[in-house]
Amino acid sequence: MEEKHYKIVTVEDYEPYIGKETVERIMRKARKLKDFHIVNVNSTYYGGGVAEVLSSLTLLFNSVGIKTGWRVIQGSPDFFSITKKMHNALQGGKINLTKRKKQIYEDVIYENAIRNHLEHDIVVIHDPQPLPMINHYRKRGPWIWRCHIDLSNPNRNLWYYFKQFVEKYDAVILTLEEYKQKLETPLVFFLPAINPFSIKNRKLTEKEIDERLKHYAIPTDLPLVVQVSRFDRWKDPEGAIKAFKLARREVDCTFVLLGNVATDDPEGAEVYESLIKCKEERIIILSYQDSALVNALQSKAVVVLQKSIREGFGLTVAEAMWKGTPVIGGNVGGIRYQIKSGANGFLVSSVEEAAKWIIQLIKNKKLRETMGQKAKESVRKRFLLTRLLEQYLDLFNSFETNYKLVIK
Ligand code: UDP
């Protein structure tokens, strides 16, 4: 029988994109942490940017000799309904933070703390769902809280409640400086990044792209305008559809909205249902978990929208830009750090503006091509996973024996 060879992506594979020197520098930094045992904890194994980054980043860590694991907490539907409300409130929404909600939240986390045995050299807890885990362990190394949410205007009451947990950590990682909160704990800022070798991001052949689109009966006779995002109000799917409808008064095109629902998000199904009524021959709304389809759509699109009204980072923006496709993104959060408006894409604050740029991009092939090239180059320079790996290595190498962080 033929033996199958399994392989994971290594830092050396990135050499064509990042150069030999960077590869060697990363490997040197990694050697200092050789045989460390690290664990990441979050609340969903798929759907959404956090799971996307963790699935590739944890493997890349292992490829440099650092034993890095990934655990996902479990919870009942009422737990996830509460944590989704908390998520929304951290992004500026309202919450009625009752004793009952706090009790369910803390009880479920206590149960998860019993079930997991976090005796690692470094523990990284992602987002608010597993945040109180820290209450139930004696530390054996630094604990880090990595919050991926747009924290520019969190509900004060909720933030005050979370602060008691957050300040037990030895470091906090936020996405942007503008999400900074007043804390005793040292803060650092990391922007997420993409894996250029994954099924979602690797270069597909024309044949592969056409096969995927055909499989889902997506017509390619007219230019494709695409938005890929979880079914979530913050992503403004209605706004994206409105922008498309305005644009098609002037140019013929097809709109595809591809979405999914994360396992920790009970609101997704409702948002999806509410969008079904918008379906038309040229407005295609799909709900599938298929990374190759995401890739095919982002590659084939003439323009990708990410019309969010709040966005921690917006991995979908970097993913589309990596394929040389110009993105029209909401002028919010992390999208602003990826798109330089007018150069490698467009930032917009209204449906009308989005429609205007859809029309321009469909009409002007030259503009599309130059923007697309710039978009790809900016992702190569700033948003590949090796950059994020190196930031984590620097952080892990900066803790002193008492877990104090010394930022140089
Ligand atoms: N995604 C997907 N299928 C979908 C919708 C989204 O695979 O139908 C992926 C998308 O490609 C990206 C991630 O989910 O990798 C979303 O991350 P982002 O940072 O854009 O937003 P989040 O969902 O974390 O708010």
Side-chain angles (χ1 to χ4, degrees):
M1 209 168 71
E2 200 188 319
E3 202 181 320
K4 189 161 163 42
H5 290 283
Y6 293 99
K7 190 189 168 304
I8 58 167
V9 175
T10 66
V11 173
E12 284 86 355
D13 292 326
Y14 283 78
E15 197 183 307
Y17 301 130
I18 62 174
K20 202 168 173 195
E21 241 175 71
T22 306
V23 170
E24 283 169 0
R25 190 180 63 236
I26 292 175
M27 297 310 284
R28 256 195 323 274
K29 290 177 178 178
R31 269 195 291 279
K32 293 194 200 149
L33 296 163
K34 201 165 165 34
D35 294 326
F36 259 57
H37 195 191
I38 294 172
V39 68
N40 290 271
V41 182
N42 84 323
S43 62
T44 181
Y45 56 91
Y46 85 82
V50 181
E52 182 72 21
V53 171
L54 280 177
S55 63
S56 293
L57 187 63
T58 49
L59 292 178
L60 202 57
F61 261 105
N62 281 283
S63 83
V64 296
I66 302 169
K67 289 186 280 176
T68 304
W70 174 17
R71 308 264 177 94
V72 178
I73 57 162
Q74 284 89 44
S76 51
D78 49 352
F79 169 78
F80 286 117
S81 144
I82 292 164
T83 55
K84 178 71 196 211
K85 286 197 179 89
M86 290 173 162
H87 173 112
N88 289 342
L90 283 182
Q91 298 212 136
K94 285 205 178 83
I95 190 166
N96 179 12
L97 192 61
T98 57
K99 227 169 138 186
R100 187 193 66 92
K101 285 199 185 84
K102 290 190 224 170
Q103 175 129 29
I104 294 174
Y105 172 58
E106 290 179 31
D107 283 353
V108 170
I109 291 310
Y110 174 63
E111 289 161 13
N112 276 277
I114 298 283
R115 251 186 243 120
N116 283 277
H117 306 100
L118 305 183
E119 289 158 0
H120 300 71
D121 301 309
I122 298 176
V123 178
V124 188
I125 300 285
H126 295 260
D127 282 338
Q129 297 91 337
L131 176 67
M133 297 276 274
I134 195 160
N135 272 9
H136 308 294
Y137 290 97
R138 181 175 305 150
K139 286 185 196 167
R140 299 193 43 186
W143 278 58
I144 298 163
W145 186 51
R146 196 323 178 196
C147 180
H148 300 261
I149 294 173
D150 179 340
L151 278 186
S152 44
N153 182 26
N155 177 290
R156 293 324 311 180
N157 208 0
L158 179 64
W159 180 250
Y160 185 75
Y161 167 63
F162 278 160
K163 217 171 138 182
Q164 58 170 321
F165 306 117
V166 177
E167 289 195 326
K168 293 193 172 148
Y169 285 77
D170 302 291
V172 170
I173 308 172
L174 300 178
T175 303
L176 302 178
E177 293 221 21
E178 64 201 61
Y179 300 163
K180 193 169 175 168
Q181 300 294 323
K182 229 176 134 210
L183 283 173
E184 294 295 319
T185 318
L187 278 174
V188 291
F189 304 93
F190 295 177
L191 290 162
I194 64 162
N195 171 3
F197 306 102
S198 65
I199 295 170
K200 187 170 284 174
N201 294 318
R202 76 177 167 81
K203 185 141 185 58
L204 297 178
T205 62
E206 283 298 319
K207 207 171 144 213
E208 286 172 316
I209 293 172
D210 290 341
E211 183 279 324
R212 270 305 75 191
L213 299 180
K214 209 167 162 199
H215 181 83
Y216 292 96
I218 297 166
T220 50
D221 54 336
L222 297 177
L224 282 182
V225 180
V226 165
Q227 173 155 312
V228 176
S229 51
R230 277 184 304 107
F231 289 112
D232 185 325
R233 299 267 174 235
W234 301 109
K235 308 287 182 183
D236 198 16
E238 289 91 353
I241 294 170
K242 277 189 197 147
F244 164 79
K245 283 185 169 169
L246 272 184
R248 79 166 165 195
R249 290 188 193 161
E250 229 176 284
V251 285
D252 258 348
C253 42
T254 303
F255 182 63
V256 182
L257 177 68
L258 173 65
N260 63 0
V261 179
T263 56
D264 61 352
D265 182 0
E267 290 172 3
E270 199 182 302
V271 174
Y272 174 63
E273 300 291 326
S274 74
L275 292 169
I276 302 269
K277 62 174 186 308
C278 303
K279 275 189 180 181
E280 286 177 22
E281 192 198 339
R282 292 289 172 180
I283 300 182
I284 299 167
I285 299 174
L286 301 172
S287 175
Y288 295 107
Q289 188 61 43
D290 181 342
S291 298
L293 174 63
V294 174
N295 190 338
L297 282 170
Q298 290 169 337
S299 303
K300 187 80 175 183
V302 165
V303 46
V304 162
L305 303 183
Q306 190 53 62
K307 181 72 196 54
S308 309
I309 38 186
R310 277 261 191 262
E311 191 64 79
F313 177 67
L315 268 185
T316 49
V317 174
E319 287 165 4
M321 289 171 73
W322 177 244
K323 283 134 200 155
T325 305
V327 180
I328 299 174
N331 190 6
V332 292
I335 300 180
R336 285 189 281 176
Y337 289 76
Q338 301 184 67
I339 296 178
K340 192 156 183 285
S341 201
N344 62 3
F346 291 105
L347 291 171
V348 296
S349 305
S350 69
V351 165
E352 291 72 22
E353 257 184 290
K356 180 175 91 184
W357 296 127
I358 294 173
I359 297 166
Q360 281 276 321
L361 283 164
I362 291 181
K363 283 187 174 167
N364 189 339
K365 186 161 181 236
K366 184 90 192 72
L367 175 67
R368 262 187 346 248
E369 283 172 358
T370 39
M371 275 200 160
Q373 266 168 16
K374 283 187 190 152
K376 177 156 193 182
E377 182 56 11
S378 64
V379 176
R380 184 190 68 76
K381 282 196 187 135
R382 302 172 61 216
F383 298 117
L384 296 185
L385 217 48
T386 36
R387 188 264 304 148
L388 183 59
L389 172 71
E390 190 172 4
Q391 284 180 302
Y392 269 108
L393 294 175
D394 286 340
L395 173 66
F396 296 164
N397 278 318
S398 304
F399 286 104
E400 296 192 330
T401 39
N402 54 0
Y403 319 149
K404 272 243 158 358
L405 183 62
V406 184
I407 304 172
K408 289 183 191 105

